[in-house]
Amino acid sequence: MIKFMDLHKINEAYREEINEAIKKVLDSGWYLLGEEYDKFCAEFAFFCGAKYAVGVANGLDALKLIIKAYGFSGQDEIIVPANTFIASMLAVSENGAVSVLVEPNIRSYNIDVDLIEKSISPKTKAIMPVHLYGQADRMDKILSLAEKYNLKVIEDCAQAHGAVYKGKKVGNLADAAGFSFYPGKNLGSLGDGGAVVTNDKALFEKVKSLANYGSANKYEFIYKGINSRLSDIQAAVLRVKLRHLEEDNLRRFEIAKYYRNNIKNPFIVLPEVLDGDTVCSAPQEKIDEKEKAHVWYLFVVRTKNREKFQKYLSDNGIQTLIHYPIAPHKQLAYKEWNNLALPITEQIHKEVLSIPCNPSLQDFEVEKITQTINRYDESRDVL
C-alpha cells in the first residue's frame, strides 16, 4: 500500500539532526520559552520575511490569539471562506465574534475574492483568507478591499508554509498570520504547534502576553490570557525541519507537476494553479513559470463518484484521504448555518479526494499512482 503520508519516513530523513536537537534541549534543562524557542521564532519570522513570530500551542490558538488581541467580539463580523477546515470558523466563534461565509472560486478552492465586497457590512472588522491546500490567495484584491473599508486582514497559513504571492511569502502579506505545525504540514512538528507572524510590534507584544496567561512579566498579568506556548523541544525540531523546508517543498512541486502533466482521465478534475496570481518559493531555475504557484500541502482532485474512485484506488494499493467530507456550515457544531445554501462549497466537499503528494514518495510510486488513475473508468469496475 502506498501510504497517503508516511510521517515516520518523512522524519526519518532528519533523525540524526532531530535527535541532536532534542538532546540539546534535554541537556539545557529549559523546556519552555527558552533558547530554542527564541531562535525558532526569529528564524521563522525571517523565513516568512516578517519581523516577529510568537510560537503557540497549535494553529487554532494562533488564529484565536490574533482575533483576541484585536479585541473582536460580540456582533463583530469576520469574513471567512466557506470552503475551509472548521478551525478557521472556530477561531472566530471562540472569541464571540461572527463568521460571515463566502463561497470559493471553483478553480482554486480559495475564497472567491469577487464575492467578498457584497458581504462587507458596517459590522465587518476583518477578512480572513485561507491559503487552502498550499496555494496563496489573491491578496491584492483582498488588501485593496481592506484598505477601502478599514478592515484588518488575517492570513490563515495553516496549509501554506513557504507559499509566495507576487514575491512575498505568506505570513508577510497582511496584518497578521496564523500557522499550524501539525505533524503532517509542510513544516510539521512532532506534535501540535503553531505560530503568529506579524510586522506589527504592538500586536506581537500583546499576542506574546496573551499566550502566556496574559503576563508581560512573571506574576504580573495585564490581560485575561490563555496558556498557549510552543515547547522548546518542538521548537528545536522545527528549527531542523525549517532548514529543509524549501527542498521538501520543491519535491512536492515536482510530484504535483508530474501529476498535472501526466494524469489524463476525463472523470478526474485536476487542481489548477492560478497562473499570474500566485508564485511559489521553490528555486526558480528548477521549475517553469506556470508551476510557480503552490506548495502542495495537498494534491486535491475532484470526481463525481468519489466513493467509487477512492475504493478503486484502495483496491489498487493507494491510500487517499478526503479533505473534507462535510462542509463547516453543515456541521452540528454550527446548527445555525445548516440551512445556508452554499452550492459551490457543497459541491467541492462532495467531490474532493486527496492523493499522495509528499517528500517521502518515490518516483516509481508517483508513476504507479498516475497510471492507476489513468486506468480508472467511472462507468465500470476497473481493477
Side-chain angles (χ1 to χ4, degrees):
M1 175 69 75
I2 299 175
K3 293 183 178 180
F4 177 77
M5 180 174 292
D6 190 336
L7 286 176
H8 177 269
K9 190 173 181 181
I10 288 172
N11 289 315
E12 186 66 23
Y14 313 122
R15 175 187 284 271
E16 192 170 315
E17 291 176 82
I18 289 172
N19 283 344
E20 289 178 6
I22 292 174
K23 183 179 184 299
K24 184 178 178 181
V25 176
L26 291 174
D27 290 345
S28 76
W30 195 300
Y31 310 124
L32 282 172
L33 305 181
E35 182 179 355
E36 290 299 307
Y37 170 87
D38 288 340
K39 287 182 176 179
F40 171 72
C41 289
E43 289 165 5
F44 190 64
F46 180 80
F47 173 82
C48 294
K51 294 180 180 178
Y52 310 107
V54 181
V56 298
N58 53 68
L60 174 56
D61 277 4
L63 297 174
K64 283 166 52 179
L65 284 160
I66 294 169
I67 295 169
K68 187 176 181 69
Y70 280 132
F72 300 145
S73 61
Q75 296 303 305
D76 292 340
E77 295 178 350
I78 298 177
I79 292 175
V80 180
N83 180 50
T84 183
F85 183 56
I86 199 170
S88 305
M89 291 79 170
L90 289 172
V92 177
S93 56
E94 279 286 290
N95 280 284
V98 178
S99 292
V100 175
L101 308 186
V102 174
E103 285 268 63
N105 179 324
I106 191 67
R107 294 176 56 208
S108 70
Y109 307 122
N110 284 333
I111 194 169
D112 189 333
V113 296
D114 295 324
L115 299 179
I116 292 175
E117 188 165 19
K118 69 178 184 180
S119 294
I120 295 173
S121 79
K123 297 178 182 178
T124 306
K125 300 298 182 184
I127 305 170
M128 187 191 293
V130 179
H131 306 306
L132 199 66
Y133 307 150
Q135 181 159 213
D137 215 330
R138 293 171 59 194
M139 294 299 293
D140 281 2
K141 181 71 176 287
I142 293 171
L143 293 170
S144 177
L145 286 171
E147 183 177 7
K148 180 178 179 180
Y149 292 98
N150 192 29
L151 307 176
K152 295 295 185 183
V153 178
I154 303 166
E155 297 178 77
D156 183 337
C157 303
Q159 302 185 5
H161 311 72
V164 175
Y165 179 77
K166 295 186 177 179
K168 295 178 70 175
K169 283 194 176 77
V170 300
N172 187 32
L173 300 174
D175 296 290
F179 285 85
S180 166
F181 303 128
Y182 180 78
K185 305 293 188 182
N186 293 43
L187 180 61
S189 60
L190 300 185
D192 270 321
V196 172
V197 176
T198 185
N199 289 308
D200 183 337
K201 185 175 182 181
L203 181 71
F204 161 70
E205 295 289 355
K206 189 169 183 180
V207 168
K208 188 176 180 181
S209 177
L210 284 168
N212 189 29
Y213 297 100
S215 173
N217 299 301
K218 194 169 184 178
Y219 300 131
E220 295 180 15
F221 305 95
I222 56 177
Y223 307 110
K224 296 175 182 176
I226 63 173
N227 176 17
S228 182
R229 299 174 296 199
L230 182 71
S231 75
D232 273 58
I233 284 181
Q234 297 298 352
V237 170
L238 288 166
R239 289 187 68 208
V240 170
K241 298 182 75 175
L242 182 59
R243 294 196 290 267
H244 300 280
L245 178 56
E246 296 283 16
E247 180 183 354
D248 286 347
N249 279 348
L250 177 58
R251 178 56 181 161
R252 289 176 184 269
F253 244 14
E254 292 169 344
I255 294 167
K257 183 176 180 179
Y258 186 88
Y259 284 154
R260 294 176 68 236
N261 286 341
N262 293 283
I263 294 176
K264 301 184 185 302
N265 188 314
F267 300 110
I268 306 302
V269 178
L270 296 177
E272 293 189 48
V273 173
L274 295 188
D275 190 32
D277 282 325
T278 54
V279 294
C280 181
S281 58
Q284 308 263 323
E285 69 276 7
K286 295 189 177 182
I287 51 176
D288 61 45
E289 282 296 318
K290 192 173 181 180
E291 297 299 313
K292 295 185 299 187
H294 208 310
V295 291
W296 301 103
Y297 166 60
L298 297 173
F299 192 96
V300 180
V301 302
R302 295 200 338 265
T303 187
K304 295 294 184 183
N305 197 337
R306 178 176 63 196
E307 285 67 30
K308 180 177 181 179
F309 181 51
Q310 186 174 38
K311 183 179 184 303
Y312 163 75
L313 292 177
S314 179
D315 289 345
N316 282 272
I318 300 166
Q319 182 186 34
T320 59
L321 294 177
I322 299 171
H323 297 88
Y324 304 95
I326 305 173
H329 73 283
K330 293 298 184 182
Q331 299 284 356
L332 287 176
Y334 288 106
K335 293 190 291 291
E336 65 271 29
W337 294 341
N338 287 174
N339 292 325
L340 286 178
L342 296 166
I344 298 174
T345 297
E346 291 162 24
Q347 177 189 350
I348 289 169
H349 284 255
K350 289 176 183 175
E351 296 180 353
V352 291
L353 188 69
S354 301
I355 67 174
C357 184
N358 63 78
S360 73
L361 286 175
Q362 301 298 305
D363 286 347
F364 77 89
E365 293 175 313
V366 176
E367 292 169 5
K368 176 184 175 179
I369 292 166
T370 302
Q371 293 166 4
T372 303
I373 291 174
N374 285 340
R375 291 197 303 270
Y376 173 69
D377 186 342
E378 189 180 70
S379 65
R380 61 188 177 88
D381 291 331
V382 182
L383 299 176

